[in-house]
């Protein structure tokens, strides 16, 4: 069993929004590893960061992603930083991975400047730019398909993803 597609990208790229739309169109279920992590931890991600620290969050994230890649057969969205883990990147090999690419101006419009985003608590614009620059090569490394989302609406991006998945 394996996901139909795995979505990766920085926060604000549209992984959950487009992922849900693609799953609905394909008639499969949708799951977001961040939501699974919150359910398992019994608290929101910002609280995990504050109470337990980022390393504890990343360890839980690694477990949830590995388990989901083995047991989930719908459309799966990973948290923006999941690809930082080398083992996670290796696990993604052989899966259909859709990288939703977004540049800084659109990402800022979509996520706002940090509300509920623990990594954006300090200097959100500079932090988001750093995250984009740091993670882009890793997203490209794992991607089967790269879809640019800048200046596009959900329906347009969803249609392109579906075209690529059905090719």
């Amino acid at each position: 069993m394996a996901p139909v597609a795995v979505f990766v990208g920085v926060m604000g790229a549209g992984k959950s929004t487009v992922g849900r739309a693609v799953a609905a169109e394909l008639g499969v279920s949708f799951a977001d590893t961040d939501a699974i992590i919150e359910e398992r931890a019994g608290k929101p991600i910002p609280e995990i960061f504050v109470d337990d620290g980022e390393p504890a969050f990343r360890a839980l994230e690694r477990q949830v992603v590995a388990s989901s890649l083995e047991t989930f057969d719908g459309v799966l969205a990973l948290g923006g930083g999941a690809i930082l883990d080398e083992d996670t990147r290796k696990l993604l090999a052989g899966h259909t991975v859709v990288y939703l690419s977004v540049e800084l101006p659109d990402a800022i419009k979509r996520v706002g400047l940090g509300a509920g985003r623990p990594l954006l608590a300090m200097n959100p614009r500079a932090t988001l730019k750093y995250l984009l620059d740091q993670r882009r090569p890793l997203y490209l490394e794992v991607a089967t398909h790269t879809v640019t989302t800048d200046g596009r609406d959900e329906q347009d991006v969803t249609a392109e993803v579906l075209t690529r998945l059905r090719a």
Side-chain angles (χ1 to χ4, degrees):
M1 185 179 305
V4 173
V6 180
F7 282 80
V8 300
V10 76
M11 62 186 82
K15 300 178 300 288
S16 295
T17 303
V18 174
R20 278 189 188 88
V22 168
E25 194 66 33
L26 295 176
V28 298
S29 54
F30 172 80
D32 183 324
T33 58
D34 281 352
I36 297 167
I37 290 165
E38 289 182 338
E39 187 178 303
R40 284 204 189 160
K43 55 187 164 184
I45 288 172
E47 286 184 26
I48 300 169
F49 269 75
V50 170
D51 297 347
D52 310 318
E54 186 174 358
F57 168 77
R58 295 295 176 201
L60 182 54
E61 180 177 56
R62 189 178 314 113
Q63 295 166 359
V64 166
V65 170
S67 166
S68 298
L69 290 174
E70 286 182 12
T71 62
F72 184 70
D73 60 359
V75 172
L76 182 66
L78 303 190
I83 48 78
L84 294 171
D85 184 78
E86 185 178 350
D87 291 336
T88 295
R89 292 195 308 275
K90 287 178 184 171
L91 288 174
L92 288 169
H95 288 278
T96 300
V97 179
V98 178
Y99 166 36
L100 295 182
S101 171
V102 64
E103 296 302 323
L104 186 62
D106 274 42
I108 287 173
K109 281 184 216 161
R110 294 176 192 171
V111 301
L113 290 176
R117 306 279 187 166
L119 292 179
L120 297 183
M122 305 285 284
N123 196 346
R125 181 180 293 273
T127 302
L128 189 52
K129 181 181 183 333
Y130 169 77
L131 294 176
L132 283 165
D133 293 346
Q134 174 200 40
R135 295 174 180 180
R136 183 174 287 114
L138 301 176
Y139 294 134
L140 289 168
E141 174 187 321
V142 301
T144 311
H145 306 287
T146 299
V147 176
T148 303
T149 65
D150 299 280
R152 301 171 71 188
D153 65 22
E154 171 193 337
Q155 292 78 13
D156 189 32
V157 175
T158 299
E160 182 177 343
V161 170
L162 288 165
T163 297
R164 289 177 180 233
L165 292 177
R166 291 172 172 153

